[in-house]
Amino acid sequence: MNVAIIVAAGRGERAGAGRAKQFRELAGAPVLVHTLRRFDECASIAQIVAVVPAEEIEQFEAAAHAHAVRKLVRVVAGGATRAESVRRGLGAADAAAGVVAVHDGVRPLVKPSDIDAVVRAAEESGAAILVAPVVDTIKEVIEGVVTQTFARARLRRVLTPQCFRRDLLERALLDGADATDDSALVERLGATVVAVEGDPRNIKLTRAEDFALAEIIMRG
């Protein structure tokens, strides 16, 4: 049995509209509900744990019920950091979970087929992440000066979900370190992380224009 932890504990309002972006309405439902629906459609995922701000738990549970999210089993309060939020979600997940898929709550455009593919890769290798090609040239800039240009063919944009065997993710979270990317914590253990190519439209909704684009994609 595999479990998804959907991390949506942030309180950021950079996208405007005066509300945390994971609870904003998008195409008739909160962003986070759209995200959970994608995991509802996956054969590889049996249960979902959502991690949200403590003050939003009751309201979100009602929204998930109203929109008939089937696989949601627990909603827990997030922590002060991403790693702490993932740790709390993992603590609420079924102890029998084989692979744990960690996903950003504000990535509602992920394809269920991509989720299944990266979960399968983690079942085989122990750790796998979803990635997409980089289309722009990437340069390192320090204090306004270009210091190097990277070979674009070797670079990938990191998406979610990121999937790990439960015991591997538990070990990665033990020392209390934080990272914006869960895979970075696993990489520190010396574990091999497999990259699975995913749909580049699996964007993280951060700015107002991201919501406009997501609306177009969903309605299209």
Side-chain angles (χ1 to χ4, degrees):
M1 180 190 69
N2 303 317
V3 175
I5 297 175
I6 311 301
V7 185
R11 294 174 171 80
E13 297 178 0
R14 278 185 290 170
R19 185 140 199 242
K21 54 194 176 183
Q22 64 269 39
F23 303 113
R24 278 187 56 182
E25 290 285 316
L26 177 67
V31 167
L32 187 51
V33 166
H34 285 294
T35 302
L36 268 61
R37 282 173 169 169
R38 299 293 175 134
F39 286 81
D40 258 358
E41 298 172 26
C42 294
S44 61
I45 296 294
Q47 296 181 349
I48 302 169
V49 175
V51 186
V52 304
E55 66 274 14
E56 296 280 1
I57 289 177
E58 186 175 346
Q59 187 172 353
F60 174 67
E61 286 178 331
H65 177 74
H67 289 279
V69 176
R70 297 179 293 106
K71 295 180 182 178
L72 182 65
V73 294
R74 294 287 302 277
V75 181
V76 298
T81 65
R82 180 183 178 87
E84 178 58 28
S85 292
V86 174
R87 194 177 296 111
R88 292 185 182 189
L90 189 58
D94 194 303
V99 166
V100 177
V102 184
H103 186 68
D104 297 324
V106 288
R107 289 187 187 268
L109 300 175
V110 62
K111 293 172 63 175
S113 58
D114 283 353
I115 300 170
D116 286 333
V118 72
V119 169
R120 285 195 300 268
E123 288 174 336
E124 296 174 2
S125 67
I129 64 173
L130 206 59
V131 301
V134 173
V135 296
D136 297 313
T137 297
I138 304 297
K139 296 181 182 287
E140 180 183 65
V141 178
I142 299 177
E143 296 182 352
V145 176
V146 174
T147 57
Q148 65 176 310
T149 301
F150 296 99
R152 187 172 62 189
R154 298 175 59 186
L155 300 177
R156 293 295 182 272
R157 183 164 57 90
V158 179
L159 314 174
T160 66
Q162 299 186 351
C163 302
F164 315 97
R165 285 198 321 265
R166 183 186 177 119
D167 64 308
L168 184 58
L169 183 57
E170 285 177 337
R171 285 196 289 127
L173 293 168
L174 272 179
D175 65 3
D178 189 37
T180 57
D181 170 62
D182 306 295
S183 177
L185 300 177
V186 172
E187 291 162 30
R188 290 173 52 195
L189 300 177
T192 297
V193 179
V194 174
V196 177
E197 296 282 341
D199 191 321
R201 291 176 297 179
N202 177 10
I203 59 173
K204 186 175 184 179
L205 305 190
T206 303
R207 302 161 299 179
E209 53 265 42
D210 298 330
F211 280 80
L213 177 58
E215 187 92 26
I216 292 170
I217 293 172
M218 283 186 170
R219 295 196 182 282

